[in-house]
């Protein structure tokens, strides 16, 4: 699975939008972009995933660059509950991969009231 | 629909004892993954199982660690003769049958193992 690069940490104010970037310049055509987050003392939680088109769900939006070498997770209005470590993960979609997630260090998001 | 369940949530063992960690996947899920998170580090994949089969154990330490997912009952991660370096949070995740590459994984709350 290709490697991703994220900032170590970011800060946001409550009720403001947050843009969490992820670079994946070596992404292959079969890689899906997944985002998970881990709240303190909890297991990771799926946030969103996409391939080429931008995606929206109740938690967040995922904006994918046209060349797919980068993506941005968008939280439209940060709340204190969104303080977590956010992981950007590439998952290959082919038989050679067993589908396990490869976690990097992620971005630690702090939300200020 | 209950989520992924893990027990115990906290486990304390003395060096040399055995640790057994249990994971009940979400109802209907047939894929189970185990991950380990050492203090202040990211999660590392350990093993991937389907019912009665180990599919990928490339992340498992060669000795003392084993995993199973029997036809009936929870998946078990077993650590024999624990050492202090085994102290970590162990997370189990499950996903639905079918394409394991695309479906999200649902994680349990983890078991925090402390070796004294």
């Amino acid at each position: 699975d290709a490697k991703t690069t994220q900032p170590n940490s970011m800060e946001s104010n409550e009720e403001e939008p947050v843009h969490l970037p992820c670079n994946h310049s070596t992404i292959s055509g079969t890689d899906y972009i997944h985002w998970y987050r881990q709240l303190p003392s909890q297991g990771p939680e799926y946030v969103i995933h996409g391939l080429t088109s931008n995606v929206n769900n109740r938690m967040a939006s995922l904006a994918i660059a046209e060349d797919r070498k980068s993506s941005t997770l968008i939280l439209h209005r940060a709340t204190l509950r969104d303080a977590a470590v956010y992981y950007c993960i590439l998952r290959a979609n082919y038989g050679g991969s067993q589908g396990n997630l490869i976690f990097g260090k992620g971005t630690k998001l702090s939300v200020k009231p | 629909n209950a989520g992924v369940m893990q027990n115990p949530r906290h486990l304390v063992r003395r060096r040399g004892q055995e640790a057994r960690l249990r994971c009940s996947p979400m109802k209907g899920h047939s894929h189970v993954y185990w991950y380990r998170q050492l203090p202040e580090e990211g999660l590392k994949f350990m093993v991937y199982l389907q019912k009665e089969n180990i599919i990928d154990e490339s992340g498992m330490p060669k000795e003392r660690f084993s995993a199973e997912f029997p036809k009936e009952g929870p998946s078990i991660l077993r650590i024999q003769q624990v050492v202090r370096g085994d102290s970590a949070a162990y997370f189990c995740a499950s996903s639905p049958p079918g394409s394991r590459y695309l479906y999200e994984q649902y994680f349990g709350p983890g078991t925090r193992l402390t070796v004294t």
Side-chain angles (χ1 to χ4, degrees), chain A residues 51-91:
Chain A
L51 182 63
T52 56
S53 304
N54 294 344
V55 184
N56 300 296
N57 66 21
R58 64 174 180 81
M59 288 181 71
S61 296
L62 177 60
I64 302 173
E66 198 169 327
D67 63 6
R68 301 211 324 127
K69 293 184 186 299
S70 65
S71 61
T72 302
L73 179 71
I74 302 165
L75 307 179
H76 295 286
R77 287 180 70 229
T79 69
L80 297 178
R81 268 206 84 249
D82 292 321
V85 179
Y86 287 78
Y87 297 98
C88 170
I89 299 168
L90 302 183
R91 296 187 75 188

Side-chain angles (χ1 to χ4, degrees), chain A residues 6-20:
Chain A
Q6 300 177 252
N8 289 335
S9 62
M10 290 184 65
E11 274 191 357
S12 171
N13 293 317
E14 198 176 9
E15 299 195 3
E16 289 186 356
V18 181
H19 291 232
L20 296 162

Side-chain angles (χ1 to χ4, degrees), chain A residues 32 34 36 38 41-44 46 91-92 94-95 97-101 103, chain B residues 33 35 37 42-43 45 48 55-56 91 100-105 107-108 112:
Chain A
Y32 279 73
H34 287 244
Y36 282 74
Q38 187 176 21
S41 301
Q42 294 189 29
Y46 167 80
R91 296 187 75 188
Y94 62 90
S97 164
Q98 297 294 359
N100 54 281
L101 298 171
F103 289 84
Chain B
Y33 298 82
Y35 295 83
Q37 187 170 34
L43 285 85
F45 165 74
Y48 160 48
I55 308 300
D56 179 3
F91 293 97
R100 57 185 177 267
Y101 316 112
L102 293 183
Y103 287 122
E104 57 267 32
Q105 293 184 8
F107 282 80
R112 279 150 185 83

Side-chain angles (χ1 to χ4, degrees), chain B residues 3 6 8 12 15 21-22 31 35 40 42-43 49-50 53 69 72 76 83 87-88 90 95-96 100 105-106 114:
Chain B
Q6 290 188 250
V12 179
R15 277 179 299 169
L21 288 62
R22 292 174 183 76
H31 303 296
Y35 295 83
E40 305 302 321
L43 285 85
L49 310 102
Q50 294 181 19
N53 286 305
F69 188 16
E72 301 292 337
I76 307 283
V83 301
S87 295
Y90 292 81
S95 63
R100 57 185 177 267
Q105 293 184 8
Y106 296 82
T114 301

